[in-house]
Amino acid sequence: MTTITLVQGDITRQSADAVVNAANSSLLGGGGVDGAIHRRGGPAILAECRRLRASRYGKGLATGRAVATTAGELDARWVIHTVGPVWQGPGSDPSLLASCYRESLRVADELGARTVAFPAISTGVFRWPMEEAARIAVETVRDAETAVEEVTFVLFDERAYEAFAEHVG
Ligand code: AR6
């Protein structure tokens, strides 16, 4: 059983075996969580992302997929980069958002990570409504077959925290 914990705060201050980054397919950085992780984690993360782009991920990382790098100076062993889907309006297919959580946990299992911190993927720049994104995140983690013992959702503000709390009993 995976324990689900909620924390309000900055994911770059979280200790975990693996911290998940809400990246984009370029893997070369951006704003939001991505910018914060690269800033605090230092240049080793970007250097490894560039190597991934020069090798296995020449076309970038597809939406819904995940890949790991060093966590640089973060208090973690790995950053798992995943690419959330951009909200396309009502009726948007939630399967790629669910896939981000499932694939990140699959990568965590491959690495042997037992504790994983997630942000609320796609709920910032990618505009996914928080309430629905929270439900998808919690249900997907709850249903995942994984050896990860603790998943911590690190929510930036109170609204996000409350949205996740609705689904974590
Ligand atoms: N810690 C925890 N949560 C945070 C932090 C932080 N330091 N900073 C922002 N959030 P976003 P996305 C929250 O935009 O929607 C980037 O440019 C934020 O309030 O980081 O998946 C990438 O390069 C929101 O609730 O990710 C991509 O291009 C949530 O984290 C694109 O944004 C996710 O917001 C990805 O967009």
Side-chain angles (χ1 to χ4, degrees):
M1 267 293 284
T2 307
T3 304
I4 298 178
T5 308
L6 305 183
V7 168
Q8 191 181 326
D10 178 347
I11 198 166
T12 68
R13 304 278 182 182
Q14 188 70 28
S15 308
D17 292 341
V19 168
V20 176
N21 182 19
N24 61 62
S25 65
S26 80
L27 291 174
L28 300 177
V33 171
D34 199 6
I37 282 178
H38 282 285
R39 264 194 310 279
R40 187 166 296 276
I45 301 174
L46 186 58
E48 205 173 325
C49 287
R50 287 193 198 284
R51 284 196 291 276
L52 288 171
R53 286 302 307 276
S55 55
R56 264 181 74 194
Y57 294 93
K59 291 182 178 162
L61 182 65
T63 305
R65 302 295 301 274
V67 66
T69 65
T70 175
E73 290 160 36
L74 298 180
D75 189 9
R77 290 181 67 185
W78 302 282
V79 170
I80 298 174
H81 307 262
T82 189
V83 183
V86 177
W87 168 251
Q88 306 288 351
S92 290
D93 179 4
S95 63
L96 286 172
L97 183 53
S99 173
C100 288
Y101 290 96
R102 251 194 322 270
E103 285 291 298
S104 295
L105 290 173
R106 190 181 60 71
V107 170
D109 283 336
E110 281 173 10
L111 296 166
R114 291 291 175 263
T115 59
V116 177
F118 280 99
I121 298 163
S122 285
T123 63
V125 173
F126 285 175
R127 302 189 308 274
W128 211 286
M130 185 61 76
E131 286 66 29
E132 191 185 328
R135 180 179 57 74
I136 293 163
V138 173
E139 284 178 358
T140 305
V141 168
R142 196 174 271 149
D143 293 347
E145 285 188 25
T146 174
V148 171
E149 289 161 7
E150 183 173 27
V151 163
T152 303
F153 289 107
V154 184
L155 294 325
F156 212 34
D157 56 26
E158 198 174 336
R159 192 175 75 86
Y161 184 95
E162 293 302 331
F164 275 71
E166 282 286 308
H167 301 282
V168 179

